[in-house]
Amino acid sequence: MKFLNFKVCHSLSQLSPKRAFAYSSQKSQLNKPPLSQKTFFKSNTKDSLISRLCENNNLKEAIDILCEQKRLREAVQLLDQIDRPTALLYSNLIKLCLQHRAFEEGKKVHAHTKASGFVPGVFICNRLLDVYVKCGSLGNAQKLFDEMGERDLCSWNTMISGYAKMGKLVESRKLFDEMPKRDNFFWTAMISGNVHHDQPKEALELYQMMLRHENSKSNKFMVSSALAASAAIPTLRIGKEIHGYIMRIGLDSDDVVWSALSDMYGKCGSIEEARCIFDKMVDRDVVSWTAMIGRYFEDGRREEGFALFSELMRSGIRPNEFTFAGVLNACADHAAEDLGKQNGQLNEALKFFELLLKLGTQPDHIIFVGVLSACTHTGFVDKGIEYFHSIKEKHGLTHTADHYACTIDLLARAGRFGEAENIISKMPMKPDKYLWASLLGGCRIHGNLGLAKRAAEALFEIEPKNPATEVAKVRKAMDNKGVVKKLGLSWIEIKREVHVFLVGDKSHPKSDEIHNFLGKLSKRMKEEGYVPDTNFVLRDVEEEQKEQNLSYHSEKLAVAFGIISTPPGTTIKVFKNLRTCVDCHTAIKFISKIVERKIIVRNSNRFHTFKDGSCSCGDYW
């Protein structure tokens, strides 16, 4: 009996004070002998109080208790024992169905209203509509909506926003057009729904229609959606019109609106205006900072991107994994073109990564690609291998093909071919073209012709049209198949005019002057210790001819033209569509020292900054 009283007290303790008082009068009944087990809860009762209530046909009270205790399934099962439930009972049950997103129980309650002859009012119908919509059953929702004798704004809103969120924009627009009256909520739901489901033109059409509506006034969510639509098209003109409207109606003090404005200007290509908006924001969160930093990187304005990242680090706001991913990738992809005052962003990339770990942020696969790439281009071989193993052992991630390719590139550049082959042999997936190309590049640097042949044959098998497979035997096979090597070309801009050069090019108006200058440079370079690297000039020609071929590679022609066309001390910037060859890299180091110029070469892989006889890449590229 003590156990029984404990159960009663435990049950009462879960009720509201009012209900606890009401049921305390039934304590005398609890002292009676055990009742018959022919009650609803005979096999699964959780407490004696509900069992007693059921035995005494106090089913409505039992359901109320079950609802308070969030025991939805039992409450709905008990509903079948009641002939004529009250509107309040139905309302409480439907409310609980909505909280639990319980579609099946909601259908049972709805069916019970029909079976019992109960005619629900608009309030209960709206709750049922909400259950169906939030459970993703728009068919049941539409059927109920059609059956409703009375509808209010909430009824229309539930259906229209439900269709819009599910991407059923035709159905949503049809109901929207049938509405007898609209308010801001409906306009916002329709506009944001179209934006979310990649219908920006329709969203702007609705927004402009709303502006013509006499009784409607934009709110911050509506204009933010309209700005997002402008950014998605993109259309700067309409975005500016919305900006002007925002200023006129006084929404220019809201950070949600500022963020949407900054995003619109950034995506429409107006970075300066995006930054202006960003600077005016009072409460800038990490999302706003990350977006603005990312815009600079996407637009190729790395210096400003890194400067803003440094400002973020000083602001006290903690960067997230997306911030670090953007910065790391920017460091790895665009290292060393006079970026920042820290001597080379690759080192900075690794510092940022270590900071990310200290902050407790879990790095993802993409971040590790940037980290391994940074190690490759700085020559931090052991550190890179340590990071590679930590991906799985420390961070619980799976190695991807990109991780393997970066690591093989790291080892091959350092001439550690035994370790590279060991890792390749243990790969769970088949090596891809990027891995073999990386290995082949390392073999070229260190003259490992045996392994180069293996890599070239594997690469040729995967991608027969890739010119990187051109070792002597493979090149001959490719020639037989009619494969054409992609032409290497370099270009330089002098006085806003772009000059393009091919290997051995003599078509330029100053060709003779360029070739004469290179001839003089070649003699001076050899005096300084330069030896042409002819190992990978693959044509079957005499050694002297090989040297001559090397002398007139496109980037050397472009560099020479830049030097003779600009005043002493001017920085030379050359761009090339392919990877810089070993000989050109060595030669330009000598040239930078001889002519006392800083020479920047951006090839297909990265930036190289040559100065005083050395390169920012540390001879790792």
Side-chain angles (χ1 to χ4, degrees):
M1 189 59 65
K2 289 181 180 179
F3 174 74
L4 184 61
N5 286 332
F6 170 77
K7 292 285 288 183
V8 172
C9 293
H10 175 68
S11 179
L12 288 173
S13 70
Q14 300 181 53
L15 304 179
S16 63
K18 184 176 179 181
R19 290 199 184 282
F21 176 79
Y23 295 131
S24 63
S25 62
Q26 299 184 40
K27 286 178 66 177
S28 58
Q29 296 184 26
L30 297 176
N31 295 320
K32 292 181 180 180
L35 295 172
S36 151
Q37 294 302 304
K38 295 180 181 179
T39 65
F40 175 76
F41 287 92
K42 66 180 180 180
S43 62
N44 64 347
T45 183
K46 290 190 177 180
D47 57 68
S48 302
L49 177 56
I50 294 176
S51 179
R52 299 285 183 178
L53 289 171
C54 293
E55 188 71 21
N56 291 313
N57 290 322
N58 291 325
L59 300 178
K60 294 178 183 177
E61 303 293 346
I63 290 177
D64 282 343
I65 295 172
L66 290 169
C67 285
E68 285 191 6
Q69 296 177 351
K70 310 296 184 186
R71 292 157 63 179
L72 174 61
R73 184 171 297 179
E74 295 164 281
V76 173
Q77 288 175 338
L78 198 57
L79 182 63
D80 290 334
Q81 308 294 316
I82 302 177
D83 293 329
R84 300 183 69 83
T86 63
L88 179 60
L89 190 66
Y90 278 130
S91 180
N92 288 337
L93 282 169
I94 297 169
K95 179 182 178 182
L96 196 56
C97 290
L98 185 60
Q99 291 174 354
H100 288 270
R101 300 294 192 267
F103 172 64
E104 292 299 332
E105 284 74 17
K107 277 181 68 177
K108 288 177 182 177
V109 176
H110 187 192
H112 195 277
T113 63
K114 293 181 177 181
S116 67
F118 176 79
V119 180
V122 68
F123 179 78
I124 289 180
C125 284
N126 284 344
R127 276 198 167 173
L128 274 171
L129 277 178
D130 211 13
V131 170
Y132 286 140
V133 167
K134 285 189 167 66
C135 290
S137 181
L138 292 176
N140 281 294
Q142 184 65 58
K143 184 178 179 183
L144 172 58
F145 183 79
D146 293 338
E147 292 171 353
M148 290 174 64
E150 180 187 358
R151 301 167 184 154
D152 60 8
L153 285 175
C154 183
S155 316
W156 288 95
N157 162 52
T158 302
M159 288 305 301
I160 289 172
S161 60
Y163 276 124
K165 287 177 182 176
M166 293 286 286
K168 297 183 177 294
L169 302 179
V170 174
E171 294 87 343
S172 182
R173 181 61 184 266
K174 183 176 180 294
L175 282 175
F176 183 80
D177 291 338
E178 292 173 359
M179 281 185 69
K181 184 181 179 181
R182 306 183 186 104
D183 64 8
N184 278 1
F185 191 93
F186 299 100
W187 289 108
T188 304
M190 285 297 297
I191 294 168
S192 62
N194 277 277
V195 171
H196 184 70
H197 292 283
D198 299 322
Q199 300 286 339
K201 291 183 180 178
E202 289 78 2
L204 287 177
E205 178 187 313
L206 283 165
Y207 178 73
Q208 289 166 343
M209 186 188 302
M210 183 279 304
L211 292 178
R212 295 192 294 268
H213 199 271
E214 293 181 2
N215 299 321
S216 296
K217 183 180 178 181
S218 294
N219 56 39
K220 64 180 180 180
F221 304 108
M222 197 184 301
V223 296
S224 296
S225 293
L227 287 168
S230 300
I233 293 177
T235 169
L236 183 60
R237 179 184 61 81
I238 294 178
K240 285 190 171 185
E241 288 177 2
I242 298 171
H243 188 181
Y245 177 75
I246 288 168
M247 302 292 285
R248 290 195 298 274
I249 65 173
L251 281 175
D252 55 323
S253 61
D254 189 275
D255 279 327
V256 172
V257 176
W258 281 121
S259 181
L261 271 170
S262 180
D263 190 58
M264 181 276 294
Y265 279 120
K267 289 179 178 176
C268 289
S270 186
I271 305 295
E272 284 74 17
E273 288 177 283
R275 179 61 187 270
C276 182
I277 296 295
F278 174 81
D279 289 339
K280 290 180 181 178
M281 293 172 65
V282 178
D283 297 317
R284 293 177 289 191
D285 60 12
V286 67
V287 176
S288 303
W289 281 94
T290 301
M292 192 66 234
I293 292 168
R295 289 186 196 108
Y296 279 127
F297 290 144
E298 288 168 10
D299 201 47
R301 297 166 63 168
R302 297 175 302 283
E303 295 178 45
E304 291 155 292
F306 284 115
L308 189 59
F309 178 74
S310 297
E311 190 177 328
L312 166 62
M313 299 301 291
R314 294 192 298 269
S315 72
I317 295 175
R318 179 174 174 171
N320 61 21
E321 60 269 31
F322 300 104
T323 320
F324 280 108
V327 172
L328 286 168
N329 287 331
C331 289
D333 291 341
H334 303 292
E337 188 197 347
D338 197 25
L339 298 180
K341 306 293 185 183
Q342 303 93 352
N343 179 22
Q345 297 302 311
L346 293 174
N347 289 326
E348 289 301 297
L350 300 180
K351 291 180 183 177
F352 293 150
F353 177 68
E354 293 294 342
L355 178 59
L356 178 149
L357 297 180
K358 287 179 182 177
L359 290 173
T361 303
Q362 175 64 28
D364 61 10
H365 296 86
I366 297 173
I367 287 179
F368 272 112
V369 172
V371 169
L372 291 172
S373 180
C375 289
T376 298
H377 295 302
T378 49
F380 292 168
V381 185
D382 292 329
K383 193 68 176 176
I385 297 301
E386 180 185 327
Y387 284 138
F388 173 76
H389 290 303
S390 76
I391 292 173
K392 186 175 182 179
E393 296 171 3
K394 186 176 180 180
H395 300 284
L397 300 173
T398 303
H399 286 125
T400 67
D402 288 335
H403 296 155
Y404 279 105
C406 287
T407 304
I408 296 306
D409 194 18
L410 174 72
L411 290 168
R413 288 171 190 270
R416 291 162 63 167
F417 297 110
E419 293 171 73
E421 289 185 275
N422 184 48
I423 288 177
I424 292 172
S425 68
K426 295 178 180 178
M427 284 179 63
M429 75 281 287
K430 190 175 180 179
D432 61 14
K433 62 183 180 181
Y434 301 107
L435 184 146
W436 289 120
S438 296
L439 186 61
L440 184 59
C443 291
R444 182 184 64 179
I445 294 169
H446 295 282
N448 190 333
L449 296 180
L451 187 56
K453 180 179 178 182
R454 177 187 162 197
E457 288 173 348
L459 184 57
F460 183 76
E461 207 172 293
I462 297 172
E463 196 177 36
K465 292 188 177 181
N466 189 327
T469 61
E470 293 179 20
V471 292
K473 183 178 177 181
V474 178
R475 175 60 182 267
K476 184 177 179 181
M478 293 175 73
D479 287 342
N480 291 337
K481 289 176 177 286
V483 177
V484 179
K485 185 181 186 294
K486 183 178 180 182
L487 286 176
L489 57 89
S490 300
W491 61 96
I492 184 171
E493 183 176 341
I494 302 292
K495 296 181 179 178
R496 299 188 178 181
E497 183 179 353
V498 176
H499 301 260
V500 181
F501 298 89
L502 297 173
V503 62
D505 198 347
K506 292 187 177 181
S507 62
H508 194 276
K510 290 191 175 182
S511 178
D512 291 339
E513 191 176 347
I514 294 169
H515 282 251
N516 288 336
F517 180 71
L518 278 176
K520 294 176 182 177
L521 265 183
S522 180
K523 290 180 181 179
R524 180 74 186 278
M525 288 159 58
K526 288 179 179 179
E527 291 172 1
E528 295 285 337
Y530 164 70
V531 178
D533 187 345
T534 61
N535 288 333
F536 291 90
V537 179
L538 298 172
R539 294 293 186 184
D540 186 17
V541 294
E542 295 297 329
E543 195 69 20
E544 187 177 345
Q545 182 63 44
K546 287 183 180 180
E547 288 192 22
Q548 188 176 355
N549 289 346
L550 286 171
S551 298
Y552 302 108
H553 277 189
S554 63
E555 56 264 61
K556 289 177 183 171
L557 295 172
V559 167
F561 175 69
I563 293 171
I564 65 176
S565 303
T566 56
T570 305
T571 298
I572 305 298
K573 293 185 179 181
V574 169
F575 298 84
K576 184 177 181 180
N577 66 331
L578 300 179
R579 189 177 183 273
T580 301
C581 76
V582 176
D583 181 74
C584 284
H585 190 269
T586 302
I588 298 174
K589 287 198 296 183
F590 276 93
I591 293 171
S592 70
K593 184 178 181 180
I594 292 169
V595 300
E596 298 180 345
R597 300 277 194 112
K598 181 161 77 172
I599 302 171
I600 298 170
V601 178
R602 176 62 165 112
N603 64 11
S604 61
N605 194 42
R606 58 170 296 162
F607 278 96
H608 295 267
T609 301
F610 301 89
K611 187 177 181 181
D612 296 327
S614 63
C615 180
S616 60
C617 74
D619 296 338
Y620 281 87
W621 79 100

